[in-house]
Amino acid sequence: MKKTVFITGTSSGLGKLTAIRFAELGWNVAATMRTPEKETELSNYDNIQIYKLDVTKVDQVQSAAEKAIAEFGTIDVVINNAGMGAYGPLEFAEEDAIDWQFAVNTRGPINVIRAFLPHFRTVGGGMFINISSFMGLTTAVPLGSLYNMSKFALEGLTEGLYYELKPLGIDLRLIEQGGSKGTNFKEGIVWSKNANINVYDGLMEKLLQAMNARDDDTLDDPKIIVDAIEDLATRRSNQFRTVVGKAGNDLMKLRNSVPIEQYLETIADNFS
Ligand SMILES: NC(=O)c1ccc[n+]([C@@H]2O[C@H](COP(=O)([O-])OP(=O)(O)OC[C@H]3O[C@@H](n4cnc5c(N)ncnc54)[C@H](OP(=O)(O)O)[C@@H]3O)[C@@H](O)[C@H]2O)c1
């Protein structure tokens, strides 16, 4: 029987490519996004159905889940991909930006998971694939504490849920990616700043340099991330956590090989 995947954040980047990959594999795809009226590419596929969904809006999440279940009967895999970054000194972050970071990257997946649990219980199983980051497993840069917080929380949520969903035959997987070519992630970052206080300016400059140095030559090919997602959804891989890409794997090697104090100093030195 034809399988169905439900994906959040398919207007760009990894979400869009994942929707296309599964459509090309012959799956039904429930592709969700905040602004379906702007979509022109995914609508060309007969087996992609587009739904409006802002992951922070519980009623929209519920409604999109209900519509997709009504359309396709069974949803096999749900991919929590939607995400954004709030960067800059914590001291200067707008209250709204702090809440929004958590609302999209952590509360969003909670909303989506809760919307699908009754369905997965009824059909006797299913899989959630949560798109995290190596920034969910370790720190990597200064001025990224809010993003780290949101993805570390997503990791804790996913790992904690394992025990209550395993007896129900519901699987959880995490993708630890490090950013790939062709996404809108950098452009979408919400920065905190205060023009009157300059104590963080040096760090900010170094962070921007590091981010800008990650261009098409150094960023991962999104294909390897979509391959990893496909391997999980089709059960070619049953890894709980999949670290994808060179940057993430190099960093995790370092993180796992030295005490945390040494790791923190190494990263801090990179930005001093
Ligand atoms: N690129 C990186 O450096 C990087 C690194 C590690 C992990 N990640 C993670 O990978 C995932 C995919 O990001 P990407 O790299 O493909 O970047 P992207 O091109 O910016 O894609 C992010 C997607 O999330 C959507 N989104 C944002 N807020 C949303 C909300 N409230 N409700 C629903 N959708 C929302 C965006 O939709 P709109 O068009 O409506 O904004 C967009 O479709 C994210 O979870 C991100 O945190 C990215």
Side-chain angles (χ1 to χ4, degrees), residues 5-211:
V5 61
F6 182 101
I7 313 172
T8 65
T10 60
S11 66
S12 65
L14 185 64
K16 175 171 265 190
L17 291 177
T18 304
I20 292 171
R21 168 69 65 87
F22 279 90
E24 288 175 347
L25 285 173
W27 286 47
N28 294 317
V29 179
T32 72
M33 60 189 73
R34 290 194 287 188
T35 51
E37 61 280 9
K38 291 191 193 156
E39 176 54 44
T40 54
E41 204 178 340
L42 299 183
S43 44
N44 294 325
Y45 291 80
D46 290 342
N47 51 343
I48 298 185
Q49 190 72 41
I50 298 171
Y51 302 99
K52 184 176 177 70
L53 189 163
D54 178 329
V55 294
T56 66
K57 301 200 164 118
V58 177
D59 52 342
Q60 267 184 29
V61 174
Q62 199 65 42
S63 157
E66 280 166 15
K67 284 184 193 151
I69 293 164
E71 172 85 23
F72 298 115
T74 300
I75 307 294
D76 299 280
V77 176
V78 171
I79 303 178
N80 278 305
N81 165 74
M84 55 80 71
Y87 278 77
L90 182 69
E91 184 181 348
F92 305 141
E94 301 280 346
E95 298 297 334
D96 282 356
I98 298 170
D99 293 341
W100 191 247
Q101 179 67 100
F102 185 78
V104 177
N105 290 12
T106 316
R107 190 66 160 94
I110 291 175
N111 296 337
V112 174
I113 290 169
R114 279 162 54 87
F116 277 98
L117 281 177
H119 175 67
F120 279 178
R121 269 196 296 103
T122 307
V123 298
M127 181 187 287
F128 293 109
I129 300 177
N130 293 339
I131 307 303
S132 183
S133 165
F134 60 69
M135 292 275 281
L137 294 174
T138 187
T139 49
V141 293
L143 309 178
S145 63
L146 287 172
Y147 188 72
N148 275 130
M149 173 275 301
S150 70
K151 293 295 191 185
F152 270 58
L154 180 63
E155 298 281 331
L157 173 82
T158 312
E159 200 175 309
L161 267 178
Y162 181 86
Y163 306 107
E164 71 196 63
L165 299 188
K166 180 180 158 50
L168 307 180
I170 300 170
D171 295 311
L172 292 150
R173 308 280 186 252
L174 282 155
I175 290 279
E176 322 292 0
Q177 67 136 328
S180 57
K181 294 170 202 169
T183 80
N184 290 342
F185 188 82
K186 206 163 77 179
E187 291 69 30
I189 288 176
V190 175
W191 290 98
S192 62
K193 42 182 136 12
N194 181 333
N196 300 318
I197 298 174
N198 62 12
V199 291
Y200 302 105
D201 285 2
L203 281 180
M204 181 68 107
E205 201 178 307
K206 291 252 164 59
L207 173 64
L208 288 172
Q209 268 170 19
M211 281 187 170

